């Protein structure tokens, strides 16, 4: 085997290796890209799921509950201050009522003592008769009954006063410790709600952005797929070129060729080497262009997808472990609000008890005052009758007249003191009106708020967990997508070098052709016919036939240029065949 033949064989083996490498590179890249596109479809599903998490009916209902809670919390501190003032007013009037009850008890006891003395005196005086003693006994019984009633009211008042003191202390302690927190929490909840609404709007914007990016990604993927399909055509072109070089090797050895005389072998070999050199050079250029196009589209595919994932990450937070994320913060705010409402409700439970006890006390006290007025009237009437009867007795009944007069004075004192109570009751009733108004946040209202807030908290926590899960999957699948695309790009890192090696082989093949002048005219048709019958039938692509014709034209006409232009993009037959 001579040196040119050995060199040609090495080039053929190298080109055969390159053909296999190109085929494997494009096949692996196509497989990776297909896997990446499946992952991208999954990413799009994740994005849709994420958008739905912040726009579902449950989270919207939670937003509404959050808005109501913020509105209810905002005036709560002022309401508490007003109720505290009402409790203070009730306490002031209650103290006045307490002092009045104490005086009434003293005056009733005095009447009881006077009635007792009257009964003793009526027994010791001759001539007053039994009637005066009966009057004294009746007064004693009336005053004793009145005393028991007043003392019962006083005890009820003391119980209410104790409740009032406890409620005041609890209310003031709550105001001191948590009053400012209620206002700041309301403002914070409002800001958090605004952030949730802003993120919901951003979620809608994200959907549009994702759609735009998805279109761009799909376009890049489509172009990459089209470019990848050229791998098979490049492999075929390399195989066709190596087949031609094998034929040139036969001609190099001087072995006979069907239809070609011996004197035309060297001319046919030179022309064949030129044709295959041009085919290899065009294949190298196509491989370089396709590799560059695929690299650019894969890079665009990865960058656009990663930008989309980063956009989602910035919108929704880094995941469930990020306690500073807006959903976690919202849950923390709601939990804090729930705890504050519980403390507030506990503090205001004392005010509810005071309101209930005050209502019962005022009813009982008013009844007692009314009964006391009747009792005093009866005592005065009985005392007057007793005084008249004692006056008939003469000087012996003078002491009884004095006792009756003292009894009347004591009864007048009771009437005077008890007359103050209705005004005090009215003032207490007016102050208690603040604790009984219809729009007051009573225990039932607080219970409803807490239940609604608990429901909202559950929804927020579940949504946060779902978001964290979806984000975790999105980040994981986004990373997997980037890895797959990077693998595909890495596979093409050697494609450019392969193209350069094929180009170098093309130059080496061209150098093997002798620098003889054009094929002798008498052999033109002979060599052309042999090439058309031997090489031409193996071509499967229009570009190969174009290059073939161009080389022959240049050989026949040295002024002509070899055309290696790719067929037009809309020439489907030329692209495929």
């Amino acid at each position: 085997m001579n040196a040119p033949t050995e060199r040609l064989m090495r080039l053929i083996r190298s080109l055969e290796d390159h053909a296999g490498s190109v085929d494997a590179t494009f096949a692996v890249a196509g497989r990776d890209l297909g896997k990446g596109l499946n992952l991208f479809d999954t990413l799009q599903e994740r994005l849709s799921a994420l958008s739905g998490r912040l726009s579902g009916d449950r989270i919207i209902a939670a937003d509404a509950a959050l808005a109501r809670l913020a509105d209810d919390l905002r005036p709560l501190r002022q309401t508490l201050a007003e109720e505290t003032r009402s409790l203070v007013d009730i306490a002031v009037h209650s103290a006045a009522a307490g002092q009045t009850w104490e005086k009434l008890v003293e005056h009733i006891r005095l009447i009881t003592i006077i009635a007792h003395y009257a009964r003793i005196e009526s027994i010791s005086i001759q001539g007053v008769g039994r009637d005066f003693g009966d009057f004294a006994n009746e007064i004693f019984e009336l005053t004793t009954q009145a005393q028991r009633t007043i003392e019962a009211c006083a005890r009820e008042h003391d119980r209410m006063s104790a409740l009032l003191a406890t409620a005041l202390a609890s209310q003031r302690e709550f105001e001191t410790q948590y009053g400012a927190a209620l206002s700041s929490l309301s403002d914070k909840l409002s800001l958090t709600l605004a952030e949730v609404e802003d993120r919901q709007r951003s979620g809608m914007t994200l959907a549009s952005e994702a759609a735009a990016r998805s279109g761009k990604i799909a376009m890049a993927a489509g172009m990459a797929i089209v470019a990848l399909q050229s791998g098979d055509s490049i492999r075929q072109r390399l195989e066709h070129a190596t087949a031609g070089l094998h034929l040139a090797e036969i001609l190099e050895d001087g072995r006979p060729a069907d239809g070609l005389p011996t004197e035309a072998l060297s001319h046919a070999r030179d022309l064949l080497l030129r044709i295959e050199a041009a085919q290899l050079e065009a294949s190298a250029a196509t491989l370089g262009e396709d590799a560059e196009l695929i690299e650019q589209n894969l890079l665009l595919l990865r960058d656009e997808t990663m930008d989309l994932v980063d956009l989602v990450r910035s919108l929704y937070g880094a995941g469930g472990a990020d306690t500073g994320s807006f959903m976690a913060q919202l849950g923390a705010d709601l939990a804090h609000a729930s705890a504050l409402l519980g403390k507030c409700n506990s503090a205001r439970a004392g005010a509810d008890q005071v309101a209930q006890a005050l209502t019962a006390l005022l009813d009982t006290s008013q009844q007692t005052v009314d009964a006391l007025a009747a009792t005093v009237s009866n005592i005065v009437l009985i005392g007057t009758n007793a005084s008249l009867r004692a006056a008939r007795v003469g000087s012996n009944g003078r002491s009884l007249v004095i006792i009756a007069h003292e009894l009347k004075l004591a009864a007048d004192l009771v009437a005077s003191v008890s007359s103050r109570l209705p005004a005090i009751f009215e003032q207490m009733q007016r102050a208690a009106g603040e604790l009984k108004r219809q729009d007051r946040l009573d225990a039932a209202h607080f219970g409803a708020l807490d239940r609604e807030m608990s429901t909202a908290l559950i929804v927020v926590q579940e949504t946060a967990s779902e978001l964290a899960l979806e984000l975790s999957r999105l980040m994981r699948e986004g990373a997997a997508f980037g890895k797959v695309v990077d693998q595909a790009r890495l596979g093409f890192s050697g494609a450019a070098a392969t193209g350069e090696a094929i180009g170098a082989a093309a130059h080496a093949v061209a150098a093997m052709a002798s620098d003889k002048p054009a094929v002798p005219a008498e052999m033109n048709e002979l060599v052309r016919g042999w090439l058309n019958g031997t090489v031409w039938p193996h071509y499967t692509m229009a570009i190969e036939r174009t290059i073939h014709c161009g080389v022959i034209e240049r050989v026949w006409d040295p002024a002509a240029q070899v055309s290696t232009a790719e067929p037009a993009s809309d020439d489907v037959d030329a692209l495929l065949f």
Side-chain angles (χ1 to χ4, degrees):
M1 182 182 295
N2 57 36
T5 302
E6 186 177 352
R7 189 163 60 251
L8 184 58
M9 288 295 296
R10 286 199 300 269
L11 280 173
I12 291 172
R13 286 194 295 271
S14 173
L15 288 170
E16 288 173 342
D17 290 341
H18 289 322
S21 172
V22 168
D23 191 43
T25 297
F26 278 75
V28 171
R31 183 196 64 201
D32 290 341
L33 183 59
K35 187 189 300 182
L37 292 178
N38 288 334
L39 285 172
F40 180 70
D41 289 339
T42 305
L43 283 175
Q44 287 184 306
E45 292 177 5
R46 298 288 178 227
L47 287 174
S48 298
L50 282 171
S51 298
R53 296 304 180 205
L54 286 183
S55 58
D57 293 339
R58 296 180 70 215
I59 194 67
I60 290 176
D63 291 348
L66 181 63
R68 287 192 295 272
L69 178 61
D71 290 341
D72 285 342
L73 285 178
R74 191 168 291 109
L76 188 54
R77 188 180 185 186
Q78 180 62 30
T79 300
L80 288 173
E82 292 172 356
E83 291 190 359
T84 300
R85 285 194 293 271
S86 297
L87 289 173
V88 170
D89 289 344
I90 294 173
V92 171
H93 300 313
S94 176
Q99 294 173 357
T100 303
W101 285 121
E102 289 176 0
K103 290 181 180 179
L104 281 176
V105 170
E106 292 176 2
H107 295 324
I108 287 294
R109 286 176 180 171
L110 177 60
I111 291 175
T112 303
I113 293 171
I114 293 173
H116 182 69
Y117 279 119
R119 188 169 57 182
I120 296 173
E121 189 69 21
S122 64
I123 295 173
S124 62
I125 298 174
Q126 296 294 327
V128 295
R130 183 176 177 181
D131 291 339
F132 195 89
D134 292 340
F135 289 149
N137 288 334
E138 189 174 356
I139 291 173
F140 184 80
E141 290 175 0
L142 286 172
T143 54
T144 300
Q145 181 180 359
Q147 181 177 346
R148 283 197 298 267
T149 302
I150 292 172
E151 287 175 346
C153 283
R155 286 193 300 271
E156 190 69 18
H157 179 269
D158 290 341
R159 189 180 74 83
M160 193 274 294
S161 297
L163 287 175
L164 182 61
T166 301
L168 258 177
S170 179
Q171 193 96 340
R172 283 169 172 164
E173 180 183 7
F174 180 84
E175 273 196 275
T176 301
Q177 295 183 1
Y178 305 110
L182 283 173
S183 298
S184 62
L185 179 61
S186 176
D187 295 338
K188 193 173 184 181
L189 286 175
S190 297
L191 290 175
T192 305
L193 177 61
E195 185 176 1
V196 172
E197 292 173 344
D198 181 63
R199 289 180 184 271
Q200 287 172 334
R201 288 190 295 271
S202 298
M204 297 176 64
T205 304
L206 174 66
S208 300
E209 178 74 14
R213 287 182 180 271
S214 296
K216 196 172 182 180
I217 290 169
M219 179 64 71
M223 294 180 67
I225 290 172
V226 170
L228 282 170
Q229 291 173 347
S230 69
D232 185 60
S233 66
I234 292 173
R235 176 188 58 76
Q236 290 184 49
R237 290 167 69 175
L238 289 176
E239 289 175 350
H240 298 161
T242 54
L245 292 177
H246 275 299
L247 187 57
E249 174 203 353
I250 294 173
L251 297 177
E252 179 70 31
D253 290 340
R255 284 178 281 176
D258 293 339
L260 195 65
T262 303
E263 60 270 19
L265 291 180
S266 61
H267 296 295
R269 169 190 170 278
D270 287 342
L271 188 55
L272 185 57
L273 288 175
R274 293 175 189 275
I275 290 172
E276 301 309 340
Q279 297 284 11
L280 289 172
E281 187 175 2
S283 296
T286 300
L287 176 59
E289 292 169 1
D290 288 347
E292 183 179 0
L293 178 63
I294 292 169
E295 167 73 16
Q296 290 174 352
N297 283 295
L298 287 177
L299 184 61
L300 178 64
L301 191 62
R302 189 202 64 178
D303 290 347
E304 287 292 327
T305 304
M306 292 301 100
D307 286 347
L308 187 58
V309 171
D310 289 340
L311 186 65
V312 175
R313 190 204 309 268
S314 65
L315 176 63
Y316 293 106
D322 182 10
T323 55
S325 67
F326 77 99
M327 292 300 292
Q329 186 60 52
L330 175 57
D333 290 345
L334 284 175
H336 186 203
S338 181
L340 273 180
L341 282 179
K343 294 179 184 299
C344 185
N345 192 27
S346 176
R348 298 176 71 260
D352 291 338
Q353 292 177 344
V354 168
Q356 294 172 1
L358 184 60
T359 298
L361 176 64
L362 291 177
D363 290 342
T364 303
S365 297
Q366 190 59 54
Q367 293 172 6
T368 300
V369 170
D370 294 341
L372 191 60
T375 299
V376 168
S377 178
N378 289 334
I379 290 173
V380 171
L381 180 61
I382 293 170
T384 300
N385 291 335
S387 178
L388 292 174
R389 186 174 290 274
R392 295 194 194 104
V393 176
S395 60
N396 289 334
R398 185 177 298 172
S399 60
L400 291 176
V401 172
I402 295 173
I403 291 173
H405 179 69
E406 292 294 330
L407 190 63
K408 184 178 182 303
L409 290 177
D412 289 340
L413 282 175
V414 169
S416 174
V417 172
S418 63
S419 65
R420 304 174 195 165
L421 286 174
I424 296 176
F425 294 159
E426 183 180 356
Q427 290 171 325
M428 292 175 72
Q429 191 73 44
R430 191 181 303 114
E434 181 65 26
L435 306 178
K436 299 178 183 179
R437 69 178 193 275
Q438 291 295 322
D439 61 342
R440 179 175 176 264
L441 297 181
D442 56 9
H445 194 107
F446 269 100
L449 261 183
D450 193 53
R451 285 191 298 273
E452 189 174 27
M453 186 172 52
S454 298
T455 301
L457 180 57
I458 291 172
V459 171
V460 167
Q461 289 172 338
E462 289 178 352
T463 303
S465 298
E466 291 167 354
L467 275 175
L469 182 61
E470 293 296 342
L471 277 170
S472 177
R473 290 174 177 170
L474 184 75
M475 298 302 115
R476 186 168 59 251
E477 288 160 3
F481 178 86
K483 184 177 180 180
V484 167
V485 175
D486 284 339
Q487 284 176 344
R489 291 179 61 221
L490 183 62
F492 273 93
S493 61
T498 300
E500 292 174 0
I502 295 172
H507 292 301
V509 170
M512 291 179 184
S514 63
D515 294 331
K516 295 178 182 179
V519 177
E522 64 275 11
M523 295 186 183
N524 282 352
E525 293 303 323
L526 185 65
V527 173
R528 182 195 294 269
W530 181 80
L531 289 172
N532 287 341
T534 306
V535 179
W536 186 275
H538 295 291
Y539 294 143
T540 57
M541 284 160 274
I543 183 63
E544 293 178 301
R545 292 189 285 271
T546 301
I547 294 171
H548 181 100
C549 294
V551 172
I552 290 177
E553 288 173 4
R554 184 180 177 188
V555 169
W556 303 156
D557 181 7
Q561 296 295 323
V562 177
S563 174
T564 60
E566 293 286 351
S569 60
D570 58 350
D571 188 353
V572 178
D573 290 338
L575 283 171
L576 297 179
F577 305 106

